[in-house]
Structure formats: structure tokens, C-alpha cells
Amino acid sequence: MKAAFEDVLKCAVDEIELSKEELIVLISAGGKECNALFQLADQVRRRYLGEEVHLRGIIEFSNFCRNNCLFCGLRRDNRSLPRYRMTQSEILEGVHKAAGLGCKTIVLQSGEDEYFRADLLAELVYRIKKEMDVAVTLSVGDRPREDYEIMRQAGADRYLLKHETCDPLLYARLKPGASLAGRVEELRWLGELGFRVGSGNMVGLPGQTVETLAGDIVLMRELKVDMAGIGPFIPNSQTPLGSCPGGTLEMTLKTLAVARLVLPLAHLPATTAVRTIDPQGRKLALKGGANVVMPNMTPRAYRTNYLLYPGKTGLTDTPEESFAAAVEAVTDAGCKVASGY
Ligand code: SAM
């Protein structure tokens, strides 16, 4: 191990706040340094959050999207994707099923679908909270502040809005018509409105550097996020970035591990994307700092068309099978399924 790496790791062990430059040293770990980093992230996770892993059932209720993000299969210009929108009763049925299986948090995610106005989402959240004992996370993209307010008043507990990359130029290139500053402002509003806030970033975006990844973690520390979804970028041939290389397992695991050191109490999912690029990805993430798994509770008929990227795992599974696979992943990693929210 290089002396510089050992020095920074020692600071992390002593829980000294790390600078961006020090985070770059950790994310640049190679060979045995990676194992030392993963082990420390695992220890920090166990010390702060114990053995428990939370299962958060995700329902992908619409794949319509007004945006044209260069990386995403749901982008407006992807005409080859059959579009779907679940009805309110289908969504409620899905939430009942997920809650019945044991999910204590339900994540409702969609493309940026203007059909689902704030009042419609609020009604849905209100009914879910009235009928079931679950926490509700919304992940429906950029909205005006009034919309977030309406959803929060209806009872939504958390909101997931990944900043994707802390590089403003890269953000503007990847998300035409949008700005990083705008998204960060929304993340601040969400906190002010009393949501538990989730952000996150993709690893391996074209033009991204190790410095960008360290900046992503610093930004999430500044925002005091409650959750950080960190997963690899996976190229999709139906998008303009289809021929770019994707994020690697090693870089994703290193970024996740460093995020755990910097955000000891944050909820960090072992993402579907990390499982997609490597069958061992989910288990390795759980052994390297992650403490959340998000079983897919979308009905089988719809999930095949929520195609952000190719090769997504579990597309032919039922919600019951996805839930069982998530429980297995948790026990395989030597952890326990959490009983709380
Ligand atoms: N539109 C909403 C938003 O912007 O928050 C939520 C839905 S969006 C499809 C959910 C997440 O999918 C994004 O935050 C992004 O990180 C991820 N995603 C999209 N395309 C991806 C790709 N090609 N590889 C990896 N992750 C991708």
C-alpha cells in the first residue's frame, strides 16, 4: 500500500473529516488498497447501522418521460420503447403486495410523466399512508416547489432525486435544458419541506474523472443527504451514449465505500445497476458499505419496459421472486433483514 493511501485511510479510521483531495486518494485505490477500503467501509456500516439491511420495494409506475437525458432509455426520443402508465388501482395493488411481503418502505418511481400531476400523486400517497403502515419515497423528477409541498402534505416521507454528476458542464450536456444548480436547489427545497432527501450519482459517465467522483461525495456531504444511490452508468444502444464505455464494478464499489466513510449514517443501496454489471455486484456492495436493497415490486407485465439500460436483472421475476432474491442477497452477505422503516 502506498504511504499516501495509508495516511488517508488512518484519518478515516480516526473519523477525521476528509478533504476532497483525500477522497481522491481513496477512490484511486488499487490492488490490496481496495480490500482495505472495502473492509473499513464494512466496519463503519456495522458500527453505525448494525447488521440490518432495509428492503425498499420499488414500483416503476410509468415510463413516459418528457426529458431527453443522453444516458437514459426512457428518454423522450427513444421511439422503440413501448410506453406504459399504471392505473391508480394497479399501483395501490402493487403497494399492498409489497407491504404484505414485508417492505416497510415503498419507492414510487417514474419517468418525468406530466400525466401524474402533484394532486394525483398526493391522492395516491394519502391513500397508501391511510391503508398501510409504510414509509413512502417518491422519485418522479424535477417539479416546482409547490408540487413538492403538496406531496409532502399528503404524507410522502422521502424524495429521491439524484444529482447524477457534480460537474455542471457534464450535467448540462447529459440533461438538455436542465442545470445542476437547479437540481441542487430542488434538493435544498425538499430538505426545507421536511422530506428525508436522497441524492446520488452515476459512476463511469463519459468525461467524468476521479476528481468528479470525489466532488459528488463532497456535494452529498454538504447537502446532508439521508440516502445516496451510487451505481454504474450502463450504456444503452437506444441512446446517444450507446457506444460509450460503462462504469466498472471496481470503481463503483470504491465510490460506494468512500461514500460510506464520509456519510456514516446515510442509507446506501446496493443498486440494481451494480447487480446488472456483475452477478456478484449486489453482494459485494453489501459487504462494502451498502445497507439497502430495493426489490422490484413492479408487476411483471410492465417491468420489461422500464428499461433505463440493457441487461437489467429480474425482468421476468414476479414481485414475490424479486423479494425472495433480495432476502437471499441480504443473508448471503451475512446481514439481517431490517424490521423498521
Ligand atoms: N426521472 C426521475 C429523476 O430524474 O429523478 C427518476 C427516474 S430516472 C429513470 C432514475 C435513475 O435512473 C436516474 O437517477 C439515473 O441515475 C438512472 N439511470 C438512467 N439511465 C441510466 C443508465 N444508462 N445507467 C445507469 N443508471 C441510469
Side-chain angles (χ1 to χ4, degrees), residues 71-72 109-110 112 141 162 164 183 202 232 234 308-309:
F71 49 84
C72 183
Q109 192 180 78
S110 68
E112 303 210 6
K162 288 167 68 171
E164 314 292 4
R183 194 155 267 218
M202 281 180 278
I234 304 176
L308 315 177
Y309 44 75

Side-chain angles (χ1 to χ4, degrees), residues 145 148-149 152-153 155-159 187-197:
R145 186 178 168 122
Y148 295 135
E149 219 166 331
R152 176 75 187 126
Q153 275 167 8
D157 303 277
R158 309 178 185 141
Y159 203 98
L187 286 164
R188 294 196 201 282
W189 291 342
L190 289 162
E192 285 163 16
L193 292 169
F195 282 97
R196 295 289 191 96
V197 180

Side-chain angles (χ1 to χ4, degrees), residues 156-169:
D157 303 277
R158 309 178 185 141
Y159 203 98
L160 172 61
L161 189 69
K162 288 167 68 171
H163 72 272
E164 314 292 4
T165 176
C166 70
D167 175 343
L169 294 178

